[in-house]
Structure formats: structure tokens, C-alpha cells
Amino acid sequence: MTVPYAVGFTMTPGEVAMDALAVQGNLPSWLAGTLIRNGPGAFQIGSQSYRHWFDGLAMLHRFTFQGSRVSYANRYLQSKSYLGAKETGTITHAEFATDPPRTRFERVMAVLSPHVTDSAKVNVAKIAGRYLALAETPIQLEFDVQTLQTVGRFNYEQRAVGQMTTVHPQFDPANKWAYNVVTRYHAVSHYNLYRIAESGQMQRLAAVRAMQPAYMHSFGMSERYLILTEFPLVVNSIDLLLWRKPYIENFRWEPERGTPFTIIDRLTGEVVGRFDCDPFFAFHHVNAFEQQDELIVDLVSYDDASIIQSYYLQRLSDPANELPIGTLRRYRVPIRTKHSRVKEEIISEACLELPRFDYERYNTRRDYRYVYGCGIHPEHRAGFYNQIVKGRIPNGNLQTWHEAGCYPGEPVFVGRPDRNDEDDGVLLSVVLDAVSGTSFLLVLDAQALEEIARVEVPHPILFGYHGEFFGEPVNG
Ligand code: CO
């Protein structure tokens, strides 16, 4: 790769644990706890390379804030994919868009195969008291939040019966139940919706039939409903069973299907309706709430699924490559009227991806006002995400943070305790500085979107996806 941010798609130099990173600026005194980031730690195994941003071996990163001190550690998740790669010096497990060499695993690939990745690199969550690394395959690896040591497999989703899941569980603000969807590919496929109580007890809520299941990276949740948004990127189960090509390449874009919304009562599991909408694609639901006769669902949407192609490393290595722009859009589902079509409104035309908001306080609430994410500067359009954006709901007014040569990751909002204003807090974003070839953790004032501190990491952190701030300090 010759692009300035190429180091973000290479190899992490090594595993480290550091007591104190250098801090520029002043950290807020109230900021105490641990940010865990998940993402790929290596895009190369020996002489073999992964092909796509969503491939790679999972690596966890921990930033622990205690007073003015920030400790840091990183560690590969001890998945079978990682151990196999370490032992053989080759890619041994199928990833999102990369299969192991056919000579090794010819004809044994299948969606149920043990050679499908368990490299849980996409997100992290605390479910029923356990810290879990999450993958789209229904395998969750529990880790120790202090040492980042892998504790073992924790297969809630496998008990829910299915082969692929979303990595964005939704949490009930009242009782902390975790909800998720797992897709079971079969002659007749189903989306299985389930929930897990704080006690760890699991309950299946509903099974929604799908002749050709959609690729879904997340789903929506309002106070009363779960929302399955079936993007017309669909697969024949037989193609996954035969597995002639990497996982995602078995899916086809069929816009004539539109993007139907299936609404499920999350207490009873009853399907209350299915509503048609013009075709669009999204990775991420933002918030959803009920308002009079409508169910409002906010998403970061694309006109089609070409964003997936644009994340192939070959495309990302082209300095002229322009990523398709995901924009914040609002969908109005007419749940209590005779209408059956969902209306789409664009909240903001600006690029916003990896969306975050004050989930803890505002999830399922209609009075939320701010969404944060990664964006692309309109005057530096080619390349990768190069700014942080803050959008205002519902009119989309934007504030941005941009610095030449810097490539920020998902900004995680951490609110000041006892705050009155929704955006009174900080955003934490791991930024790759392409000039120095190292990363830093940027601490932005979430109201002004101005830097208040940066925590320097002495090496590059590869481009990751999601993370979470846990308000419990650990002894770092
Ligand atoms: Co995601």
C-alpha cells in the first residue's frame, strides 16, 4: 500500500502492557474507567494476506484512566484462528472475505465448519457480568478486562441456534436484558430473536422466517419493539453450505426486494407487522422510538451495498479511492395506521459512520439530540475516514474535528457523572497519525468538539471497529 494510512492495515508490532502513557493536555478528573477497543491486530500471516478490512486476527486494546494516569495494554484474542495462524504461519480459518488456501481445506468449508473464524474482533460487550469479544459467527470469547487474557468460549448465540449473528446486542435500559438476533441458515431459514437476563438466563422470543436471509450487522430496538431491517443483500443458504467462495461474496444485491422492516413486540415476541421501504443498505442502527402513530428508526444508510466492496484492502490501497458516503437517515414506520410503506428522510447529507450516542441514557428515547461518528472531510474526499463528526437530531447540523494526516476511529461518548446536558462529556477516539506512524487516544470535549487531551501510544493501532467504555476502574 502506498496510501498515507497504510500502516493501519498491516501488523501490530507486538503485545505490550504499559503503566503510564504520555499525556498531552489535561484529562477530566471525573474520567475513571476502562476503554476496551476491538479490531484486527494483523492483516498478514506469514506470506499470506487477508483481503478485506473485516478480516484479520482479533486484538483487544485497553486504556484505563485513573486520576491523571492512563495505562495501556494490547493482546491478541486466543482464538482458534489465532492459534492456528501462530502454529502454522498460514491463514487457517475463513474470515468475512478471505478463505484459507483451498489446498488445505478443499471441500470442508461450510458455514458450520470448524474452520469458520472464531476471531471475535468486531465488538465488545458486558453481558450477564462477563466481558465478551463478539464476532459475526455465533462465538463469543470471554476475556479478563484487566489482563486481556482470553478466559474461554461463551456461546450464548450457539444455544440460540444459528450460524451468524449481529455484533450489536441491544440493552434494555430498565432491566439490562441483552437482546440479539442470530440467523439460522437452513432449507427454510430463520432469524431467531432472543434475550439474556442479567442472571445469564436466555429466552428465545421469536423466529422470523426468511427464504433468503439478509446480511444484517445490527438491528433496532425501541421501548416496545425490536426492528429487523432486511437489506436486500441476500444469500441462498445452499451457497453458504457449499461455500465455493468467501462468506460475504455469496450474498447478492437484489434491490427489487426493497428493504422491509419487520417489527416484533419485544415482550411477547409477536410479529406486529412488516412494512415495505425503498431499497437501501446499512451496517448500523442508531436509535429508535415510538412517536404517535409512528415508529421512528434512525440509521446510517447507503443507497446500495457497494460500501462492502470499497473496504477490500486492494481498493483501500488506491489513493484515489473514495468511500461511498453513509448518511444519517430517519425512517418512519407507520405502525398504527393503514399505511404499509416506510418513509425515508435524510437527516444530514454529511458522511457519518460508526455512529455513537449517549446510549446509556437515551437509548429508545425520543428526546436524544446528538450522534457522533467518523466522517470524511469534503475537501479530502479520497482515502479513509479522516474526521470526527457530531450531528444534531433532527436537523443534522454538524460540528467536526479534523487534523491533517490523522485518521480517527469510532468516537465513544463518556458522559460526565450527574450531567444535565446530553453532550456534557468526552469522546474517546483512537487516532492513527500517518505522519508519525503511531496512534494516540484523542479526548475531545463532546460539546465543543475540541481537543482537551491526547494520550500517546508508542506504536500504530490498526484500524478497528468498535469499543466500549466500562466505568469500573481496574488495576492497570
Ligand atoms: Co458495527
Side-chain angles (χ1 to χ4, degrees):
M1 274 198 191
T2 53
V3 290
Y5 51 83
V7 68
F9 292 106
T10 53
M11 290 282 293
T12 308
E15 295 177 308
V16 295
M18 310 176 90
D19 287 340
L21 297 176
V23 178
Q24 286 181 33
N26 291 306
L27 294 166
S29 54
W30 54 263
L31 184 62
T34 295
L35 174 73
I36 301 285
R37 298 288 319 166
N38 202 351
F43 283 99
Q44 287 141 24
I45 311 294
S47 61
Q48 299 172 359
S49 297
Y50 290 109
R51 302 170 63 224
H52 194 276
W53 183 27
F54 296 172
D55 297 335
L57 295 175
M59 176 171 252
L60 294 169
H61 304 262
R62 169 179 69 71
F63 294 88
T64 298
F65 298 82
Q66 283 174 305
S68 58
R69 194 169 66 97
V70 184
S71 67
Y72 168 82
N74 64 6
R75 202 156 191 170
Y76 282 104
L77 207 59
Q78 304 287 301
S79 61
K80 288 183 180 168
S81 316
Y82 172 76
L83 297 172
K86 203 173 156 186
E87 195 183 303
T88 64
T90 62
I91 295 170
T92 57
H93 287 64
E95 293 284 338
F96 184 81
T98 302
D99 276 349
R102 286 279 150 169
T103 46
R104 254 185 102 89
F105 292 108
E106 200 164 8
R107 306 303 305 160
V108 300
M109 300 306 306
V111 74
L112 287 170
S113 157
H115 299 294
V116 172
T117 187
D118 62 341
S119 186
K121 63 182 166 292
V122 194
N123 201 356
V124 292
K126 193 176 180 187
I127 297 177
R130 297 165 190 257
Y131 293 94
L132 302 176
L134 308 179
E136 291 194 337
T137 49
I139 293 163
Q140 303 168 320
L141 293 179
E142 185 181 359
F143 62 91
D144 182 304
V145 72
Q146 183 187 334
T147 63
L148 302 183
Q149 186 72 46
T150 305
V151 175
R153 282 191 178 213
F154 195 69
N155 296 359
Y156 273 136
E157 267 87 358
Q158 230 160 41
R159 289 194 280 140
V161 190
Q163 294 96 22
M164 294 305 278
T165 183
T166 91
V167 288
H168 292 282
Q170 292 272 7
F171 294 90
D172 188 307
N175 54 26
K176 306 296 176 204
W177 278 346
Y179 290 80
N180 209 342
V181 181
V182 60
T183 303
R184 181 179 191 232
Y185 298 108
H186 206 260
V188 177
S189 298
H190 286 89
Y191 308 117
N192 288 323
L193 293 91
Y194 69 94
R195 68 181 173 216
I196 299 167
E198 273 282 270
S199 65
Q201 194 186 9
M202 199 189 113
Q203 183 189 2
R204 194 164 78 163
L205 285 172
V208 176
R209 203 174 138 126
M211 288 314 288
Q212 292 193 300
Y215 174 72
M216 291 188 290
H217 180 82
S218 67
F219 63 102
M221 186 176 87
S222 72
E223 195 176 355
R224 180 154 171 206
Y225 303 109
L226 299 175
I227 303 134
L228 280 183
T229 314
E230 285 180 73
F231 314 109
L233 184 64
V234 296
V235 69
N236 275 325
S237 296
I238 187 72
D239 290 334
L240 283 183
L241 292 170
L242 293 173
W243 204 285
R244 293 192 189 93
K245 45 192 173 182
Y247 170 71
I248 196 60
E249 294 176 5
N250 293 288
F251 288 74
R252 294 175 319 279
W253 180 247
E254 296 185 355
E256 62 279 8
R257 292 168 173 271
T259 297
F261 286 68
T262 301
I263 311 301
I264 298 113
D265 186 311
R266 72 178 168 98
L267 290 177
T268 65
E270 179 200 356
V271 175
V272 298
R274 192 174 156 91
F275 300 86
D276 294 323
C277 186
D278 290 340
F280 69 94
F281 178 74
F283 293 113
H284 296 116
H285 287 73
V286 185
N287 205 351
F289 53 88
E290 297 131 45
Q291 193 172 55
Q292 283 104 40
D293 292 339
E294 295 177 324
L295 173 62
I296 308 289
V297 186
D298 291 347
L299 285 125
V300 171
S301 305
Y302 300 83
D303 293 338
D304 57 39
S306 60
I307 183 71
I308 292 177
Q309 276 76 46
S310 70
Y311 286 153
Y312 277 91
L313 302 188
Q314 197 181 9
R315 293 275 293 273
L316 290 168
S317 67
D318 173 1
N321 184 47
E322 293 190 358
L323 294 176
I325 298 285
T327 57
L328 201 52
R329 300 184 202 175
R330 172 156 289 185
Y331 296 86
R332 296 178 178 275
V333 184
I335 40 170
R336 291 189 198 96
T337 68
K338 290 192 185 115
H339 304 291
S340 65
R341 276 202 87 75
V342 176
K343 273 188 260 168
E344 180 191 78
E345 294 165 9
I346 294 182
I347 296 174
S348 166
E349 300 275 0
C351 175
L352 192 156
E353 191 41 283
L354 299 169
R356 299 293 297 225
F357 66 105
D358 185 354
Y359 187 90
E360 195 184 308
R361 289 200 181 184
Y362 287 88
N363 188 34
T364 74
R365 272 173 56 172
R366 72 186 66 183
D367 58 341
Y368 91 115
R369 288 291 169 269
Y370 302 108
V371 180
Y372 315 95
C374 294
I376 297 176
H377 195 289
E379 286 161 29
H380 305 277
R381 182 68 186 80
F384 206 56
Y385 299 104
N386 56 13
Q387 63 179 4
I388 292 175
V389 296
K390 173 186 180 183
R392 194 181 151 90
I393 304 285
N395 59 19
N397 277 350
L398 274 190
Q399 288 166 264
T400 58
W401 178 91
H402 171 83
E403 193 172 299
C406 285
Y407 297 89
E410 177 197 51
V412 175
F413 175 80
V414 186
R416 183 197 300 268
D418 308 317
R419 63 194 175 279
N420 292 317
D421 296 332
E422 178 183 335
D423 56 351
D424 184 1
V426 295
L427 296 175
L428 303 178
S429 168
V430 172
V431 182
L432 181 73
D433 179 343
V435 177
S436 67
T438 59
S439 294
F440 59 90
L441 183 68
L442 177 67
V443 184
L444 286 183
D445 178 297
Q447 288 185 319
L449 224 62
E450 284 169 3
E451 176 173 342
I452 49 178
R454 65 175 66 184
V455 182
E456 295 173 358
V457 179
H459 59 257
I461 293 178
L462 307 196
F463 291 122
Y465 322 109
H466 299 295
E468 207 57 69
F469 186 83
F470 301 102
E472 311 123 66
V474 296
N475 297 318

